[in-house]
Amino acid sequence: MKSVNIGLLGLGTVGGGTAAVLQDNAAEISRRLGRDIRISAVCDAKAERAAQLCPDAAFVQDPFELVVREDVDVVVELFGGTGITKDVILKAISSGKHIVTANKKLLAEYGNEVFALAAENNVMVQFEAAVAGGIPIIKALREGLAANRIRSIAGIINGTSNFILTEMREKGSAFADVLKEAQALGYAEADPTFDIEGHDAGHKITIMSALAFGMPVDFSACYLEGISKLDSRDIKYAEELGYRIKLLGITRKTDKGIELRVHPTLIPECRLLANVNGVMNAVRVNADMVGETLYYGAGAGALPTASAVVADIIDIARLLDAPSGYRVPYLAFQPDQVQPQTLLPMDEITSSYYLRVCAADKPGTLGQIANLLAKENVSIEALIQKGVIDQSTAEIVILTHSTVEKNIKNAIAAIEALDCVDTPITMIRMESLHD
Amino acid sequence: MKSVNIGLLGLGTVGGGTAAVLQDNAAEISRRLGRDIRISAVCDAKAERAAQLCPDAAFVQDPFELVVREDVDVVVELFGGTGITKDVILKAISSGKHIVTANKKLLAEYGNEVFALAAENNVMVQFEAAVAGGIPIIKALREGLAANRIRSIAGIINGTSNFILTEMREKGSAFADVLKEAQALGYAEADPTFDIEGHDAGHKITIMSALAFGMPVDFSACYLEGISKLDSRDIKYAEELGYRIKLLGITRKTDKGIELRVHPTLIPECRLLANVNGVMNAVRVNADMVGETLYYGAGAGALPTASAVVADIIDIARLLDAPSGYRVPYLAFQPDQVQPQTLLPMDEITSSYYLRVCAADKPGTLGQIANLLAKENVSIEALIQKGVIDQSTAEIVILTHSTVEKNIKNAIAAIEALDCVDTPITMIRMESLHD
């Protein structure tokens, strides 16, 4: 059977990894697929690198030229970003090329447009590598769990942040120090904003949310809160109380609407997610029939991400000439069943909370705080005086039961208005991961 | 589009669950698949149960009759066992029916025959539910990791055993007591042999081994050692040394051949697998490109297992009328690429070991033991005297470095021949789960 011809866009980390996987495992892949996969054309800013990594491929300077070539069946887009990349992808689709991409930003922000054009042009778009690197979580959501109504997803889906949080906990270091270490190790970019402020995790949970609930992608609806303001004291106190702090992407279907959010989260240390350390990723899915399942692995890196890219190529290769009815739908649901749903504003989500309050160490303070929480219907699970900061100020940690977020915000505002309390109060959401 | 017609064999736990999932999630499944799934015929020993669970299906007393019906596209076999079930499956295949089965025993023992006949008759055979219940591990091995050469798999794939081991550790109870508790809770059968002696896990790891390495299934080559002889002291000592004991199914490709084995195993407590408790299952896969991935979830139970059964039905439904070239091959590799490989006898496997020796508490004993290990090239990682059993006998725990199993067996035989040592010596294999 004739080879499947790949047009490869970009030979950076993941692109180089993809070339390596296709070369090193060519025999194993053919044993599985029954045909060869061949990089027929490549586009990269560095011609020398292209000649070295893809010696048998035509080097094409202009990506718009590559995506219309006759010897390209599948365009593998590993440029990343939107801007020109988006135009290249749309042109490839219009030219009838199938797409494999690791581009979470493109899909989270413009996925609806991409999938609509793909449907019109009858091409496949696969994106396993866009979420959680080498973990086959997109396949699990689109196929493996297809018999279920999915209830919620919670994932550690940014390796940089998880590395930083792991180091902060294990060494008691401050955020800024660990960030420098992560940058030195190549785990964090020179400008780390995208990772540490939750954007990257937000793109990924937005994509998973669409797949889980059968709705269009809508990154603008995703609440983002990163880890840069985390104090190592909170990590320490959380640990003393039996919790770990992780940056989670969370999406959940509730009676009121869909929750979609990224933020630091206390989770009980006995949960598997709490024990996912370093740069590793894991995604927990709760679904009505199967219950809890969890998927763990490397969320980044050249070869793990390329593993997902090449799995997608294999999936496409298998159905290359097949009618579209044989395919798994782009967003897991049939296109006419992908329907907008109510996204809950953060004030309306339900969570429990960790609060750290610095307050005057004098009689009556705790009572005042407890009363203000009660007034907003926030009930207290635990209230612990952690120690005395200076002669007159005590540090108090409060864990609440589940409540609506606007209640806790109102309570915090009222507590902050007290003369005896320092501002701001630290607030971190908690997830039991029971549901 | 017309409905996909299911002929359902068996309405026990998983069969009942399958009927429930298809009914309760009919709308969600149609939103994904684009067509309806309908149980058109059902066969079960209990006609009343069939009428109740599948009111719209034709009740067929004779399974051989069901599998040739014109209104059946897919036969879902949930009888279990071999014997007559095997004949029914073969007849269904000969009649051109696609198969979904949860029958690990059938596939581990007769899979080669089943798949050969299926290829001849151009039908699909799906078996996600046969391994690890609701966890989509078959899909991960056949598709998600298709770009990789798989190196090893280690799984907690028998919920009954894992429940017993978890209880033994948490409560310090004896095996026999926990088994009774598990039976009372319905987690263990009246005759628990199949679960606790490793047969069930053996079936599952045999299937995964074939998928991982592209070879025929060969259950007879799988080494089986269960948990019924485990002493709670060993669980306690393991924990003191930072390990948990789990019943693992292990398969690994080495330069000398394929390891395929089920036995109690010490694993470091920091590993995720060590923290999989109760009836839950998890499978760790190590592959050359993606590295370590892990899949966790419910390994049994009506609805979780039915989740996998129905996912398989959906996969088949999507390709119902498609040519066979569009399908994922039965055993992950193209049929002509499924090749027998050398299976390593247990004497040739490589492992590290935990030994517990009761020996006379007198000078020189430890030295003698250490010398006999050295003589067989077994090097010692740790040797700890755990305590004194009675006035004259001490209990010694030894952890070895990695060695070939025949060496440790020779050393054990030599140590047991010492007058000062009680027989038998307890030997439990260890896995670092580093590779």
Side-chain angles (χ1 to χ4, degrees):
Chain A
M1 203 183 260
K2 85 173 187 51
S3 298
V4 178
N5 289 320
I6 303 300
L8 183 55
L9 298 175
L11 279 170
T13 304
V14 181
T18 299
V21 169
L22 286 173
Q23 183 176 315
D24 295 354
N25 281 356
E28 189 85 342
I29 291 166
S30 285
R31 282 185 66 203
R32 294 177 188 268
L33 178 59
R35 61 198 291 186
D36 295 328
I37 297 170
R38 166 181 169 254
I39 301 176
S40 50
V42 63
C43 171
D44 189 64
K46 300 178 184 166
E48 226 172 89
R49 180 162 76 172
Q52 198 183 356
L53 294 175
C54 307
D56 301 326
F59 179 74
V60 185
Q61 203 132 24
D62 179 357
F64 291 97
E65 201 180 294
L66 181 143
V67 303
V68 299
R69 283 174 69 102
E70 274 198 15
D71 64 353
V72 168
D73 302 313
V74 182
V75 170
V76 176
E77 183 274 302
L78 302 169
F79 284 155
T82 49
I84 203 173
T85 300
K86 184 187 160 204
D87 297 334
V88 171
I89 290 267
L90 295 179
K91 172 130 190 208
I93 292 172
S94 300
S95 309
K97 308 302 184 189
H98 303 290
I99 306 290
V100 173
T101 180
N103 195 330
K104 56 218 80 163
K105 182 173 163 65
L106 178 77
L107 293 178
E109 296 180 3
Y110 302 101
N112 305 322
E113 190 180 341
V114 168
F115 296 130
L117 191 67
E120 213 173 281
N121 286 276
N122 199 23
V123 303
M124 294 176 262
V125 180
Q126 295 273 110
F127 49 94
E128 184 63 80
V131 179
I135 308 171
I137 180 66
I138 299 296
K139 189 171 278 285
L141 289 171
R142 294 207 312 173
E143 303 173 43
L145 304 180
N148 293 265
R149 278 179 287 195
I150 291 170
R151 291 176 179 143
S152 67
I153 299 175
I156 295 173
I157 45 182
N158 180 267
T160 306
S161 302
N162 202 46
F163 173 81
I164 292 173
L165 292 177
T166 302
E167 293 287 299
M168 285 177 76
R169 184 180 69 81
E170 288 181 355
K171 301 184 180 162
S173 316
F175 172 82
D177 297 336
V178 181
L179 174 59
K180 269 184 219 146
E181 183 197 340
Q183 285 168 324
L185 287 167
Y187 292 155
E189 308 279 341
D191 175 1
T193 314
F194 189 69
D195 288 314
I196 63 172
E197 297 302 356
H199 301 243
D200 176 68
H203 287 141
K204 293 167 181 168
I205 194 69
T206 297
I207 294 169
M208 290 197 282
S209 183
L211 290 171
F213 305 124
M215 60 187 194
V217 291
D218 183 6
F219 178 61
S220 69
C222 186
Y223 172 78
L224 302 180
E225 180 183 324
I227 60 169
S228 62
K229 293 190 184 64
L230 269 187
D231 193 310
S232 55
R233 270 183 304 178
D234 294 311
I235 293 176
K236 179 167 152 265
Y237 294 159
E239 186 155 19
E240 290 169 8
L241 293 164
Y243 293 85
R244 302 271 165 89
I245 298 181
K246 295 290 182 185
L247 182 70
L248 292 190
I250 297 171
T251 187
R252 178 180 287 126
K253 187 163 194 159
T254 75
D255 293 341
K256 297 186 292 177
I258 308 279
E259 299 181 359
L260 180 57
R261 47 193 169 105
V262 174
H263 50 71
T265 316
L266 272 78
I267 52 181
E269 66 187 2
C270 61
R271 302 273 178 258
L272 286 184
L273 268 189
N275 294 285
V276 171
N277 291 319
V279 296
M280 300 303 279
N281 279 202
V283 179
R284 176 190 190 270
V285 182
N286 184 19
D288 65 344
M289 294 301 170
V290 74
E292 176 186 10
T293 56
L294 180 138
Y295 310 83
Y296 166 91
L303 297 178
T305 311
S307 164
V309 168
V310 175
D312 275 351
I313 296 174
I314 294 171
D315 273 357
I316 287 183
R318 210 171 265 132
L319 292 179
L320 202 57
D321 314 305
S324 61
Y326 296 153
R327 300 174 189 162
V328 181
Y330 304 109
L331 286 175
F333 293 78
Q334 296 293 318
D336 63 356
Q337 296 295 322
V338 174
Q339 293 145 353
Q341 296 184 41
T342 306
L343 273 292
L344 273 188
M346 282 304 282
D347 273 355
E348 299 299 327
I349 73 150
T350 302
S351 180
S352 47
Y353 298 86
Y354 163 102
L355 305 179
R356 180 167 50 82
V357 184
C358 293
D361 188 14
K362 61 178 188 192
T365 303
L366 288 189
Q368 278 181 293
I369 293 172
N371 285 341
L372 289 171
L373 287 165
K375 207 177 147 197
E376 296 293 339
N377 280 316
V378 177
S379 71
I380 296 173
E381 189 195 316
L383 188 154
I384 306 122
Q385 181 154 335
K386 292 308 295 184
V388 175
I389 300 257
D390 57 40
Q391 287 186 322
S392 60
T393 312
E395 203 168 34
I396 302 152
V397 166
I398 301 167
L399 306 184
T400 80
H401 284 293
S402 197
T403 185
V404 175
E405 181 139 323
K406 67 181 167 208
N407 294 351
I408 196 83
K409 283 188 181 158
N410 288 340
I412 287 172
I415 296 168
E416 284 179 339
L418 292 175
D419 281 343
C420 58
V421 166
D422 292 354
T423 56
I425 290 172
T426 298
M427 182 268 266
I428 309 176
R429 296 173 191 85
M430 304 175 68
E431 286 285 328
S432 68
L433 301 176
H434 259 310
D435 64 341
Chain B
M1 203 183 258
K2 84 173 188 53
S3 298
V4 178
N5 289 320
I6 304 300
L8 183 56
L9 298 174
L11 279 171
T13 304
V14 181
T18 299
V21 169
L22 286 173
Q23 183 175 315
D24 295 354
N25 280 356
E28 189 85 343
I29 292 166
S30 286
R31 281 185 67 203
R32 295 178 188 267
L33 177 61
R35 60 199 290 187
D36 294 329
I37 297 170
R38 162 180 171 257
I39 301 175
S40 49
V42 63
C43 171
D44 188 65
K46 300 177 184 167
E48 225 172 273
R49 179 162 76 173
Q52 197 184 353
L53 295 175
C54 307
D56 301 327
F59 179 75
V60 185
Q61 203 133 24
D62 179 357
F64 292 96
E65 201 180 294
L66 181 143
V67 303
V68 298
R69 283 173 70 102
E70 275 197 13
D71 64 353
V72 168
D73 303 313
V74 183
V75 170
V76 176
E77 183 275 302
L78 302 170
F79 283 156
T82 48
I84 204 172
T85 300
K86 184 187 160 205
D87 298 334
V88 171
I89 290 268
L90 295 180
K91 172 127 191 215
I93 292 172
S94 301
S95 310
K97 306 302 185 191
H98 303 291
I99 306 290
V100 173
T101 178
N103 195 331
K104 55 219 80 162
K105 182 173 162 68
L106 178 77
L107 293 178
E109 296 181 3
Y110 303 101
N112 305 322
E113 190 180 341
V114 168
F115 296 129
L117 191 67
E120 214 173 281
N121 286 276
N122 198 23
V123 303
M124 294 177 262
V125 179
Q126 296 273 108
F127 49 93
E128 184 64 80
V131 179
I135 307 172
I137 181 65
I138 300 295
K139 189 170 278 286
L141 289 170
R142 295 207 311 173
E143 304 173 43
L145 305 179
N148 293 265
R149 278 179 288 196
I150 291 170
R151 290 177 180 143
S152 67
I153 299 176
I156 295 173
I157 45 183
N158 181 268
T160 305
S161 302
N162 203 47
F163 173 82
I164 292 173
L165 292 177
T166 303
E167 292 286 299
M168 285 176 77
R169 183 180 70 80
E170 288 180 356
K171 301 186 179 161
S173 317
F175 172 81
D177 297 335
V178 181
L179 174 59
K180 268 184 220 146
E181 182 196 340
Q183 286 169 323
L185 287 166
Y187 292 156
E189 308 280 341
D191 176 0
T193 313
F194 189 68
D195 288 314
I196 63 172
E197 298 302 356
H199 301 243
D200 175 69
H203 287 140
K204 293 168 181 167
I205 194 71
T206 297
I207 294 169
M208 289 197 283
S209 183
L211 291 171
F213 305 124
M215 60 187 195
V217 290
D218 183 6
F219 178 61
S220 69
C222 185
Y223 172 78
L224 301 181
E225 181 183 322
I227 60 168
S228 61
K229 292 189 184 66
L230 269 186
D231 192 310
S232 55
R233 270 185 304 178
D234 294 310
I235 293 176
K236 179 168 152 265
Y237 294 159
E239 185 154 19
E240 288 169 10
L241 293 163
Y243 293 85
R244 301 272 166 89
I245 298 182
K246 295 290 184 185
L247 182 70
L248 292 190
I250 297 172
T251 188
R252 178 181 285 125
K253 186 163 194 159
T254 76
D255 293 341
K256 297 186 293 177
I258 307 281
E259 299 181 358
L260 180 57
R261 46 194 170 103
V262 173
H263 50 71
T265 316
L266 271 78
I267 53 182
E269 66 188 0
C270 61
R271 302 273 179 260
L272 286 184
L273 268 188
N275 294 285
V276 171
N277 292 317
V279 295
M280 299 304 278
N281 278 203
V283 179
R284 176 190 189 269
V285 182
N286 183 20
D288 66 345
M289 295 301 170
V290 74
E292 176 186 10
T293 55
L294 180 138
Y295 310 82
Y296 165 91
L303 297 178
T305 311
S307 164
V309 168
V310 175
D312 276 350
I313 297 173
I314 293 170
D315 274 357
I316 288 184
R318 210 170 265 130
L319 293 178
L320 201 57
D321 313 307
S324 61
Y326 297 152
R327 300 173 189 163
V328 181
Y330 304 109
L331 286 175
F333 292 79
Q334 296 292 320
D336 62 357
Q337 297 293 324
V338 175
Q339 293 146 353
Q341 297 184 41
T342 307
L343 272 292
L344 274 188
M346 281 304 283
D347 273 355
E348 300 300 327
I349 73 151
T350 301
S351 180
S352 47
Y353 297 87
Y354 162 102
L355 305 179
R356 179 165 51 81
V357 185
C358 293
D361 188 15
K362 60 179 186 189
T365 305
L366 287 188
Q368 279 182 292
I369 292 172
N371 285 340
L372 289 171
L373 286 165
K375 206 176 147 196
E376 297 292 341
N377 280 316
V378 177
S379 71
I380 296 172
E381 188 195 317
L383 189 154
I384 306 121
Q385 181 155 336
K386 292 307 295 184
V388 175
I389 300 260
D390 56 41
Q391 287 185 322
S392 59
T393 312
E395 203 168 33
I396 303 152
V397 166
I398 300 167
L399 305 185
T400 78
H401 285 293
S402 197
T403 186
V404 175
E405 181 139 324
K406 68 182 165 209
N407 294 351
I408 196 83
K409 283 189 181 160
N410 288 339
I412 288 172
I415 296 168
E416 284 180 338
L418 293 175
D419 280 344
C420 59
V421 166
D422 293 354
T423 57
I425 289 173
T426 298
M427 182 267 267
I428 309 175
R429 296 173 190 85
M430 303 174 68
E431 287 285 328
S432 68
L433 301 176
H434 259 309
D435 64 339

